[in-house]
Amino acid sequence: MNTSFDLLVIGGGINGCGIARDAAGRGLKVGLAEMNDIGSATSAASTKLFHGGLRYLEYFEIRLVREALIERETLLRAMPHISWPMRFVLPYHKSMRFDSSTPTSKLLGVLMPWMKGRRPSWLIRVGLFLYDNLGGRKILPGTRSLDLRSAPEGKPLDPKFEKAYEYSDCWVEDSRLVVLNARDAEARGASLLLREKVVSAHVEDGLWHVALENTVTGESRVVHAKMVVNAAGPWVSDVLHGVLKSNASDGVRLVRGSHIVTKRLFEHDKCYFFQGSDGRIIFAIPYETDFTLIGTTDADHTDASRKPEITPEEQSYLIAFINKYLANPISDADIVWTYSGVRPLYDDGASTAAAATRDYVLKVDTSRGAPALNVFGGKITTYRCLAESAMEEIGKELSVTKGPWTAGVPLPGGDFPVDGVADLVAGLRESFPFLTERWALRLVRAYGVEAREMLGTAQSEADLGKAFGATLTAREVEWLMDKEYAREAADVVWRRSKLGLRLDSDAIAGLDAWMTARLRSSHAAAAE
């Protein structure tokens, strides 16, 4: 195991893994320390969209929106297995009122005071025109109007909504995105120090000495680095002040986003974009074929050490919000799962969590005698851009001879055309006739062209070993353990996949026991 690095990245979320991948690809000797599973915190709890952020236009965050819009198609080309285009339906009614505190609302209040918080349809259409054209769109179709009285998209909605706009954004499997970036970083020479918590750090002779503690075994060791990157997400302030002992005044605003999942609420494959009078928006997204994902909230979360969980108030808020739009209201009884994540936003002093900037902020601190880069904020869509910006800062402190390289470079399994999923599914079923259409699609959406390698020479379902349910087999679990760092059932059924929605507690417990036994066996063999 390497113990001396050019760059040590603290945090195995999307920003940390993205930076580690970029840096390793430029020839730096990189280590990445993550105290838990890869992508197990905020990066596994997003709304799972690559999007420009339509509502950010309300706050005049033009640069952030433009960068994200450009990036959508760059990312689509690099990961067409775990990301795909999606159409979004924005219902409109002339009586709708909006938050009066946004910059757009304030300007409209001066220019058109008689509107009293309403949005004219032409203004929404102007916003969508900007959304269509700011990013140089090439793959994704543009905005069109819908007559909800006759369109199938109107069927699930309250009949008062007669008009809607339909535009494009993209879906992404967020935690798989993190794992694939980690895999690619490792393939390019990075060392992954997983389940290794950074407990302290100091500088000697211009070199960081970083103490790590294994969160499974309790063993301790020290690694060295010329520079550290604090990409600890919700714990970025804890690392900045508690571990790196910096006196920097920069802070993070922890904002909790909670989601609910219900049984499928509509038959089509489009997402709804619902607007609220409080300035918030929520999405209702087709999810895992048989479900609907609804979220998110924006609530301040004061303690990073406290596991984010949806509160009764947040759950009631989401239900009440969506019921203003649905023809058939939902209730608590319709919820099959909930999840929450904490966004580590840069503290810009905004009055509300919803108004806090989603842009990223990078700050280099050299006060300890060796450089440290602290990463605040960001959104999953711009993780690759953030990594490139981080490398610009890193290049001012370390010798980096190679330039940007990641744009469009496929992640593991993603080396096929954006529209090639159907062909991959058909080819997989031809080679492995025992696969159902749904099973083959799940594998392609998870592993892309690597699905064939994972299945190997199997001629029947029995050749894939123990069946855990919901098409999960021992062969797939072995792949996830050997190549994707999974160590326990939760890693498999809630992060590498969402099969936890289909497996009962007994099946998950059986999977966990099987994985534990396999780990013990491999450790025993290694010790001999």
Side-chain angles (χ1 to χ4, degrees):
M1 177 66 71
N2 292 328
T3 60
S4 182
F5 305 103
D6 296 319
L7 193 70
L8 178 68
V9 180
I10 302 171
I14 188 55
N15 289 335
C17 290
I19 293 170
R21 178 192 183 220
D22 196 330
R26 300 196 200 204
L28 293 183
K29 191 175 182 181
V30 178
L32 183 144
E34 163 57 46
M35 63 182 176
N36 296 308
D37 181 30
I38 282 285
S40 59
T42 303
S43 296
S46 77
T47 311
K48 309 180 194 312
L49 300 176
F50 277 153
H51 65 127
L54 182 59
R55 80 175 184 89
Y56 303 151
L57 291 176
E58 283 264 319
Y59 294 90
F60 301 153
E61 296 230 36
I62 304 299
R63 187 208 63 79
L64 174 64
V65 174
R66 182 175 185 274
E67 181 179 71
L69 289 173
I70 294 170
E71 190 66 5
R72 290 179 313 179
E73 297 197 3
T74 301
L75 297 175
L76 272 178
R77 292 185 179 95
M79 54 196 78
H81 49 331
I82 63 167
S83 180
W84 53 90
M86 184 175 282
R87 295 292 278 174
F88 288 69
V89 177
L90 192 164
Y92 175 79
H93 191 276
K94 61 183 180 181
S95 67
M96 294 168 65
R97 281 177 162 76
F98 300 86
D99 178 25
S100 61
S101 65
T102 70
T104 296
S105 293
K106 292 176 181 177
L107 181 61
L108 200 63
V110 172
L111 298 178
M112 303 174 66
W114 61 88
M115 293 300 293
K116 297 182 179 179
R118 295 191 298 272
R119 291 282 189 277
S121 61
W122 64 261
L123 183 65
I124 293 176
R125 193 63 184 86
V126 167
L128 288 166
F129 174 82
L130 290 173
Y131 205 72
D132 277 348
N133 292 283
L134 277 173
R137 177 177 48 83
K138 295 179 181 178
I139 298 175
L140 302 173
T143 297
R144 70 184 185 111
S145 296
L146 292 178
D147 183 346
L148 295 177
R149 294 170 297 183
S150 57
E153 295 84 358
K155 186 176 180 181
L157 302 181
D158 187 314
K160 77 176 183 181
F161 295 102
E162 299 180 351
K163 180 179 182 179
Y165 300 102
E166 181 183 299
Y167 69 96
S168 291
D169 265 322
C170 304
W171 173 265
V172 63
E173 299 287 357
D174 53 3
S175 49
R176 287 209 57 73
L177 174 65
V178 185
V179 168
L180 296 183
N181 269 271
R183 280 187 58 196
D184 204 46
E186 187 175 44
R188 297 175 190 276
S191 295
L192 303 188
L193 316 175
L194 304 184
R195 295 171 177 80
E196 300 261 359
K197 183 177 181 180
V198 175
V199 293
S200 65
H202 68 278
V203 177
E204 291 182 17
D205 299 323
L207 198 66
W208 284 102
H209 292 238
V210 182
L212 303 174
E213 181 180 284
N214 188 291
T215 57
V216 178
T217 66
E219 295 176 353
S220 299
R221 59 194 174 104
V222 174
V223 299
H224 310 104
K226 297 175 184 176
M227 184 174 184
V228 298
V229 174
N230 173 13
W235 297 273
V236 63
S237 287
D238 294 347
V239 171
L240 176 65
H241 302 296
V243 174
L244 303 181
K245 306 297 183 185
S246 172
N247 293 319
S249 59
D250 301 286
V252 67
R253 182 169 189 165
L254 302 179
V255 176
R256 185 176 62 254
S258 296
H259 304 75
I260 59 176
V261 176
T262 68
K263 288 291 186 181
R264 188 169 181 168
L265 299 180
F266 42 89
E267 294 304 314
H268 58 78
D269 61 357
K270 297 175 183 177
C271 167
Y272 289 103
F273 178 113
F274 294 143
Q275 305 172 87
S277 59
D278 59 354
R280 289 288 305 131
I281 61 99
I282 65 169
F283 297 103
I285 310 172
Y287 188 57
E288 296 293 318
T289 307
D290 299 318
F291 305 92
T292 299
L293 171 62
I294 302 165
T296 179
T297 60
D298 268 329
D300 285 311
H301 189 86
T302 56
D303 184 1
S305 65
R306 179 166 56 90
K307 181 182 178 181
E309 295 179 334
I310 193 169
T311 64
E313 293 77 15
E314 286 177 300
Q315 185 163 307
S316 296
Y317 172 84
L318 290 174
I319 291 173
F321 195 140
I322 197 170
N323 281 345
K324 292 178 181 178
Y325 283 85
L326 295 179
N328 298 307
I330 65 170
S331 67
D332 290 330
D334 294 298
I335 296 173
V336 298
W337 184 49
T338 68
Y339 70 89
S340 303
V342 176
R343 309 179 191 95
L345 306 181
Y346 186 70
D347 191 355
D348 60 355
S351 59
T352 65
T357 182
R358 266 54 177 175
D359 209 348
Y360 55 82
V361 176
L362 308 176
K363 294 291 185 78
V364 175
D365 181 4
T366 58
S367 63
R368 295 293 311 281
L373 173 64
N374 298 289
V375 179
F376 300 91
K379 56 200 292 278
I380 199 164
T381 312
T382 53
Y383 87 90
R384 194 195 62 83
C385 299
L386 183 153
E388 285 192 345
S389 297
M391 289 306 302
E392 290 181 14
E393 299 300 322
I394 292 166
K396 297 173 184 177
E397 306 294 337
L398 303 179
S399 177
V400 181
T401 58
K402 297 181 181 179
W405 64 273
T406 57
V409 175
L411 289 172
D415 192 10
F416 65 95
V418 171
D419 60 356
V421 168
D423 287 343
L424 279 183
V425 170
L428 205 63
R429 293 197 69 199
E430 184 177 349
S431 299
F432 304 94
F434 58 87
L435 294 178
T436 64
E437 179 79 14
R438 190 160 168 168
W439 188 358
L441 178 60
R442 182 182 75 78
L443 295 180
V444 167
R445 281 300 186 198
Y447 308 108
V449 297
E450 291 189 327
R452 187 176 295 275
E453 180 185 348
M454 188 268 287
L455 292 170
T457 59
Q459 297 298 305
S460 67
E461 184 174 347
D463 292 338
L464 299 177
K466 183 177 175 63
F468 297 101
T471 71
L472 181 67
T473 65
R475 177 74 60 84
E476 185 175 357
V477 178
E478 289 168 351
W479 174 279
L480 294 173
M481 295 179 74
D482 295 343
K483 293 184 179 291
E484 296 196 4
Y485 322 112
R487 289 294 175 269
E488 58 187 45
D491 302 342
V492 171
V493 303
W494 293 119
R495 287 184 285 278
R496 309 305 186 276
S497 74
K498 292 297 180 288
L499 293 175
L501 289 167
R502 305 182 188 282
L503 295 171
D504 61 27
S505 57
D506 288 342
I508 294 174
L511 170 63
D512 206 47
W514 187 91
M515 293 176 69
T516 299
R518 185 173 189 266
L519 279 173
R520 286 175 180 163
S521 177
S522 63
H523 291 160
E528 291 179 357

